Amino acid sequence: GPNGAGKSTELKLLAGILRPDRGAVSVDGRLAALIEVGAGFHGDLTGRENVFLNGAILGMSREEVRRKLDAIVAFAGIERFLDMPVKRYSSGMYARLGFSIAAHVEPEVLLVDEVLSVGDAVFRLRCLERMRRLVHGGTTLVFVTHDLDQMQSICGRAIVLEQGRVAHEGPSRDAVGHYMTAMSRAFADRPADLHADDGGQGGTVKLLDLRWFDADNEEVVWVRPRQEIRAELTLRLVRPVRSLVVELNMRAANRS
């Protein structure tokens, strides 16, 4: 869902950080949550001390933390900084250590908010692989993200939230379609960034508007590959034009 739809609030309800005004929230099994970068860390304590502190908060015994310490530190990649106060850590180091601790709790339910965005590319890939292994091992993963490719690579089902309500629930591919259609509606009325090249004719042609429509004549700003669409242009000709050529070029949003 878009920003403000209630995704992080939902995770906080599941984690018990917030209490619902109405209804009830029930979670069965050992739960670990990574909702905010560095949540539960004490800035004046070292990375090593915070592993023990955070592990205890997440329900691990001291012996269990001691047994998993090397694996946690290696996964986070903070060996050189293990005995440095975490207040000197970067946001990426915070995220790496926090995720590593939560992932090694061996939870039955793991809540992950969009904290992976602060990590580097290699660490994000490692986190995604770790989450896949946990899911395949039977862990229930609740994953909040705006990265649709990440979500589809891990989650079989997804929920789209709009204004705190469930707008769609189903297979992740269908949820992506619903999400992007909703985003299309939200952005369709925004003014377009229009540019027209009149071949150096000094403003002969002005491009006033450009809109896209699907096969059902619904306006869209996002389409699937091979989906049929129709373009509607509004032009103003300042003077007569003997031969007008209209050329439209499209490319993926994440490519230059």
Side-chain angles (χ1 to χ4, degrees):
N3 292 330
K7 302 183 297 298
S8 296
T9 299
E10 182 66 30
L11 288 194
K12 290 176 181 177
L13 288 167
L14 291 172
I17 298 171
L18 299 178
R19 294 183 180 274
D21 295 325
R22 296 189 303 274
V25 177
S26 177
V27 178
D28 294 326
R30 188 179 192 180
L31 182 145
L34 189 59
I35 297 178
E36 294 181 4
V37 175
F41 285 178
H42 191 296
D44 291 326
L45 298 181
T46 66
R48 184 190 305 273
E49 292 166 333
N50 271 289
V51 170
F52 282 91
L53 173 62
N54 211 242
I57 292 174
L58 294 174
M60 286 195 287
S61 68
R62 187 172 183 83
E63 178 56 36
E64 186 179 1
V65 176
R66 184 180 292 110
R67 188 172 67 252
K68 296 179 179 179
L69 179 62
D70 290 343
I72 291 172
V73 174
F75 187 93
I78 61 162
E79 294 92 339
R80 293 170 50 203
F81 311 101
L82 182 59
D83 294 306
M84 176 189 295
V86 298
K87 65 184 178 182
R88 299 179 184 172
Y89 283 15
S90 67
S91 58
M93 292 167 66
Y94 259 103
R96 294 203 302 270
L97 184 56
F99 181 90
S100 185
I101 296 170
H104 284 83
V105 171
E106 297 178 3
E108 293 168 286
V109 181
L110 176 61
L111 312 180
V112 180
D113 205 346
E114 276 201 287
V115 295
L116 302 186
S117 59
V118 299
D120 57 43
V122 173
F123 183 72
R124 287 200 297 272
L125 290 174
R126 292 172 64 190
C127 289
L128 293 173
E129 182 56 34
R130 178 68 179 178
M131 286 192 285
R132 289 192 192 96
R133 288 203 302 268
L134 288 171
V135 170
H136 291 159
T139 296
T140 297
L141 172 69
V142 183
F143 185 33
V144 168
T145 180
H146 284 286
D147 190 319
L148 302 180
D149 291 334
Q150 278 186 4
M151 184 274 292
Q152 289 186 94
S153 72
I154 298 175
C155 304
R157 299 184 63 79
I159 292 174
V160 180
L161 295 180
E162 293 183 22
Q163 298 180 354
R165 298 180 180 275
V166 175
H168 178 86
E169 179 181 359
S172 57
R173 179 178 174 83
D174 295 342
V176 168
H178 183 94
Y179 171 79
M180 295 306 299
T181 299
M183 293 301 98
S184 293
R185 291 196 302 267
F187 284 92
D189 293 331
R190 294 194 174 193
D193 183 16
L194 302 174
H195 301 280
D197 181 3
D198 64 357
Q201 298 301 311
T204 300
V205 179
K206 295 185 181 299
L207 177 58
L208 301 182
D209 194 22
L210 171 60
R211 294 176 179 271
W212 301 92
F213 298 88
D214 61 17
D216 297 323
N217 209 36
E218 292 286 337
E219 188 173 357
V220 296
V221 296
W222 172 86
V223 293
R224 293 185 181 277
R226 295 179 295 279
Q227 179 179 344
E228 181 179 331
I229 56 174
R230 174 175 58 85
E232 184 178 287
L233 296 91
T234 303
L235 306 173
R236 175 182 295 160
L237 303 183
V238 178
R239 61 175 67 92
V241 176
R242 179 173 303 195
S243 177
L244 179 65
V245 177
V246 176
E247 179 180 325
L248 296 175
N249 293 307
M250 302 177 66
R251 58 176 175 262
N254 61 348
R255 295 181 182 177
S256 58

